[in-house]
């Protein structure tokens, strides 16, 4: 049960900080950078603390806090593991699936939703 509590507390804290960044609506020359800031900060922290925590602390920090704060922390950890283990082709495929393919599906399903709404 303590793992679930750690997850919930981490998720509440992470999503709260994420929402604060959304409200602040940072931009540079009209380009929104709040999401980029969140991803860079969260990824930096995830990299800094990688392999330093186990069990409940890991669940709190990585899955709860960083997972709800960023959109890239889990991706970066898994990508790092593949590269670290020298699975370069798998890392490339993982990158394509997570970045390119997921965006294409996002776009295609958006188009589908517009067609259904007509």
């Amino acid at each position: 049960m303590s793992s679930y509590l750690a997850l919930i507390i981490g998720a509440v804290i992470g999503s709260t900080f994420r929402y604060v960044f959304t409200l602040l609506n940072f931009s540079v020359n009209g380009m929104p950078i709040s999401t980029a800031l969140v991803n860079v900060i969260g990824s930096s922290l995830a990299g800094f603390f990688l392999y330093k925590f186990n069990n409940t602390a890991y669940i709190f920090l990585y899955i709860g806090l960083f997972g709800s704060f960023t959109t890239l922390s889990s991706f970066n950890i898994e990508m790092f593991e593949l590269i670290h283990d020298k699975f370069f082709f798998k890392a490339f495929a993982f990158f394509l699936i997570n970045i390119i393919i997921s965006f294409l599906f996002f776009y295609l399903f958006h188009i589908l939703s517009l067609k259904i709404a007509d």
Side-chain angles (χ1 to χ4, degrees), residues 8-25:
I8 291 166
I9 293 169
V12 167
I13 294 169
S15 59
T16 301
F17 281 127
R18 174 75 165 121
Y19 184 63
V20 167
F21 271 80
T22 301
L23 291 176
L24 294 173
N25 197 23

Side-chain angles (χ1 to χ4, degrees), residues 21 24-37:
F21 271 80
L24 294 173
N25 197 23
F26 293 112
S27 66
V28 173
N29 293 327
M31 183 178 75
I33 62 165
S34 292
T35 299
L37 282 173

Side-chain angles (χ1 to χ4, degrees), residues 11-100:
V12 167
I13 294 169
S15 59
T16 301
F17 281 127
R18 174 75 165 121
Y19 184 63
V20 167
F21 271 80
T22 301
L23 291 176
L24 294 173
N25 197 23
F26 293 112
S27 66
V28 173
N29 293 327
M31 183 178 75
I33 62 165
S34 292
T35 299
L37 282 173
V38 163
N39 286 328
V40 169
I41 292 167
S43 296
S44 299
L45 292 171
F48 183 81
F49 290 113
L50 187 63
Y51 303 134
K52 294 186 175 59
F53 296 98
N54 294 319
N55 305 324
T56 304
Y58 177 86
I59 292 168
F60 166 78
L61 199 60
Y62 279 90
I63 299 171
L65 196 133
F66 297 151
S68 64
F69 180 63
T70 71
T71 56
L72 283 175
S73 60
S74 295
F75 168 80
N76 285 333
I77 292 166
E78 292 168 356
M79 184 76 168
F80 174 81
E81 292 289 331
L82 289 169
I83 292 170
H84 181 263
D85 294 338
K86 297 181 177 28
F87 295 126
F88 300 115
F89 180 76
K90 287 181 182 178
F92 180 71
F94 182 76
F95 176 84
L96 286 178
I97 290 167
N98 277 282
I99 302 301
I100 306 295

